[in-house]
Amino acid sequence: MALSPESLLLLIVVLLVVILTLLHHARATAAKQPLIRRPIKALDPIRSALARGAETGRAIHLSPGSGTIGSRASTVETVAGLLAAERVAGEAALSGAPLITSSGDAVAHLALRGAVRQAYQRAGMGQDYDPADVQLLAHQDAMAYASGMATLYSRQKLEASQMIGGFGQEVLLASEYGAQQGVPQVGGATSPTALPLLYLSTDAPLIGEEIYAAEAYLSRATAPHARLRTIDTLRTVIIVAIVILLLLAAAGIQLPF
């Protein structure tokens, strides 16, 4: 059975992603390319907290947001937050810094629990993983989750808080309370309602697509860096394709899809 033009195009894109990811992973493993080209200063508070956490005994809070996995509006941001949380968990397991993580969706909670457990196991510190440190504060209720985060801030002295993922305007409730408590906060979202609020209330905001690069900047593993390079390459390919399609349209050439 012959493939339709749309199916053929989708197959080409999938193959391109797989090939680029494998290529960049091989090059990163062989150290034939720089892993990071420019710094993201917004992540410095988390790095500093990881260095201090083992000495002070104060926990680092990690949150992938109140978004729902499976929702078109928040899945990508939530997954980005989960990946960033997993990388910090791995570094915390190695350094001995305590963690406390929270989420606002039952599915995201299960994914967060698995990500943190795997991070500790990869670091060889599986015995230090405590399921009680992964808390479900609400379920699909953004304001209730933000209120839960504010309560968490008031009950426990934190070394820092990382809020990267699916957030909306409710993030101001948590981030403003954290600022009043003097908690160093790193915030990241793509929502236009959350970004200005994070910029005003957190020490270090990640702007837009920087949340997708956060996991690579927070990890020494090669896989996140390979994914980051793949995303950068695909962005370039998409820009070139758009320019070519515009030129073809201006020349009056019709494509079969």
Side-chain angles (χ1 to χ4, degrees):
M1 183 176 63
L3 292 175
S4 65
E6 293 80 4
S7 300
L8 181 60
L9 179 61
L10 179 60
L11 179 60
I12 292 174
V13 171
V14 172
L15 289 175
L16 179 62
V17 171
V18 172
I19 292 171
L20 287 174
T21 302
L22 293 176
L23 175 63
H24 288 140
H25 188 276
R27 290 178 62 86
T29 303
K32 293 182 178 179
Q33 61 183 10
L35 297 182
I36 294 178
R37 292 183 175 182
R38 66 178 181 86
I40 296 181
K41 296 294 185 181
L43 296 173
D44 287 347
I46 292 297
R47 297 191 184 96
S48 300
L50 286 168
R52 297 190 307 267
E55 299 178 1
T56 64
R58 294 195 293 262
I60 299 171
H61 172 250
L62 305 175
S63 168
S66 56
T68 302
I69 293 181
S71 169
R72 180 177 298 181
S74 60
T75 296
V76 177
E77 291 86 351
T78 303
V79 171
L82 290 169
L83 290 173
E86 181 180 1
R87 299 306 167 184
V88 174
E91 296 298 320
L94 292 172
S95 65
L99 284 182
I100 183 168
T101 64
S102 67
S103 58
D105 174 69
V107 178
H109 169 72
L110 294 175
L112 181 61
R113 174 173 288 190
V116 175
R117 182 178 65 250
Q118 290 177 7
Y120 273 81
Q121 290 175 347
R122 281 197 299 266
M125 300 294 179
Q127 71 279 0
D128 293 336
Y129 167 72
D130 185 356
D133 293 335
V134 186
Q135 301 181 9
L136 176 64
L137 301 183
H139 177 58
Q140 297 185 4
D141 189 329
M143 290 303 298
Y145 175 60
S147 299
M149 285 183 59
T151 302
L152 189 152
Y153 280 153
S154 65
R155 289 180 176 177
Q156 185 164 354
K157 183 65 175 178
L158 298 174
E159 191 65 42
S161 178
Q162 175 178 289
M163 300 179 293
I164 299 177
F167 288 99
Q169 60 186 0
E170 79 285 346
V171 73
L172 181 63
L173 175 61
S175 60
E176 180 60 25
Y177 193 85
Q180 294 176 6
Q181 296 291 103
V183 179
Q185 298 179 103
V186 173
T190 59
S191 169
T193 59
L195 278 175
L197 302 177
L198 288 171
Y199 187 83
L200 292 173
S201 58
T202 62
D203 302 271
L206 296 170
I207 306 300
E209 64 181 11
E210 286 183 341
I211 70 172
Y212 304 118
E215 66 151 339
Y217 282 78
L218 291 168
S219 174
R220 289 170 286 186
T222 56
H225 294 273
R227 286 194 288 269
L228 177 60
R229 293 300 297 269
T230 300
I231 292 173
D232 290 340
T233 303
L234 289 175
R235 184 186 297 111
T236 303
V237 171
I238 290 172
I239 293 173
V240 172
I242 291 174
V243 173
I244 292 175
L245 290 174
L246 288 174
L247 293 176
L248 292 176
I253 300 174
Q254 297 293 329
L255 296 177
F257 52 85

